[in-house]
């Protein structure tokens, strides 16, 4: 995460991509949270995806949770698809008196696969440039006790025109809904 904070590529030069590849990293400085999406042994039959959730607390980044699973080699997508994700309770904040575990916020992430025409994403109030590999992870927080809604995600083309959007509680984006309406 320190590489991301410094504005550098998340993949260290000394780490061979055949051993570990950092697919994407996201950092929301305002919320004090981050997420990293990695693949170990990407060219092996035993390849695994790793997701790590981090939180800024006591002047340092702390690991608060994550997961491991099989690699999802998705086919190409038209505009964008949300695939997988996870969440963890903000343990570092729940340990601060007078806070308690029920009052601690949740840290949540999701993986997004992007189509060729997508130049940028608006994730809530943040603007994210589409990475070269067309995959990214995004992270956000929400208060404990709320429904855990993700921010609205809007895909934009190079001219800034909206290609599709998905709301906090939607299961499909507007582009996919339009395609389903066109089918007989």
């Amino acid at each position: 995460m320190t590489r991301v904070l410094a504005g550098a590529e998340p993949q260290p030069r000394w780490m061979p991509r055949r051993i570990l590849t950092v697919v994407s990293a996201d950092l929301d400085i305002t919320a004090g949270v981050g997420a990293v999406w990695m693949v170990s042994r990407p060219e092996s039959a035993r390849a695994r995806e790793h997701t790590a959730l981090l939180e800024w607390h006591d002047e340092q980044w702390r690991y608060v949770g994550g997961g491991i699973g099989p690699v999802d080699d998705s086919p190409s997508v038209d505009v964008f698809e949300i695939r997988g994700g996870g969440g963890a309770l903000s343990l570092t904040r729940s340990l601060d008196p007078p806070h308690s575990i029920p009052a601690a916020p949740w840290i949540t992430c999701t993986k997004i696969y992007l189509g060729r025409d997508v130049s940028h994403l608006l994730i809530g109030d943040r603007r994210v440039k589409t990475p070269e590999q067309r995959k990214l992870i995004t992270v956000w927080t929400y208060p404990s006790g709320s429904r855990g809604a993700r921010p609205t995600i809007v895909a934009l083309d190079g001219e800034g025109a909206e290609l599709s959007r998905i709301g906090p509680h939607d299961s499909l984006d507007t582009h996919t809904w339009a395609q389903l309406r066109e089918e007989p």
Side-chain angles (χ1 to χ4, degrees), residues 70-135:
V71 174
D72 181 13
D73 283 332
S74 71
S76 63
V77 298
D78 284 344
V79 180
F80 71 87
E81 284 185 24
I82 295 175
R83 296 260 181 111
L89 183 64
S90 169
L91 293 178
T92 55
R93 293 211 175 101
S94 68
L95 299 175
D96 289 339
H99 301 291
S100 65
I101 288 177
W106 279 90
I107 302 167
T108 306
C109 71
T110 194
K111 300 171 191 170
I112 304 173
Y113 291 76
L114 302 165
R116 290 277 163 220
D117 295 335
V118 179
S119 173
H120 288 83
L121 286 178
L122 297 177
I123 302 169
D125 60 354
R126 295 190 302 146
R127 185 181 183 98
V128 178
K129 185 171 175 17
T130 299
E132 189 176 310
Q133 79 276 12
R134 321 249 10 115
K135 300 176 194 178

Side-chain angles (χ1 to χ4, degrees), residues 79 117-119 154-158 161-165 173-175:
V79 180
D117 295 335
V118 179
S119 173
V154 181
L156 305 172
D157 67 11
E162 183 175 313
L163 299 171
S164 188
R165 81 173 36 231
D173 63 286
T174 56
H175 174 77

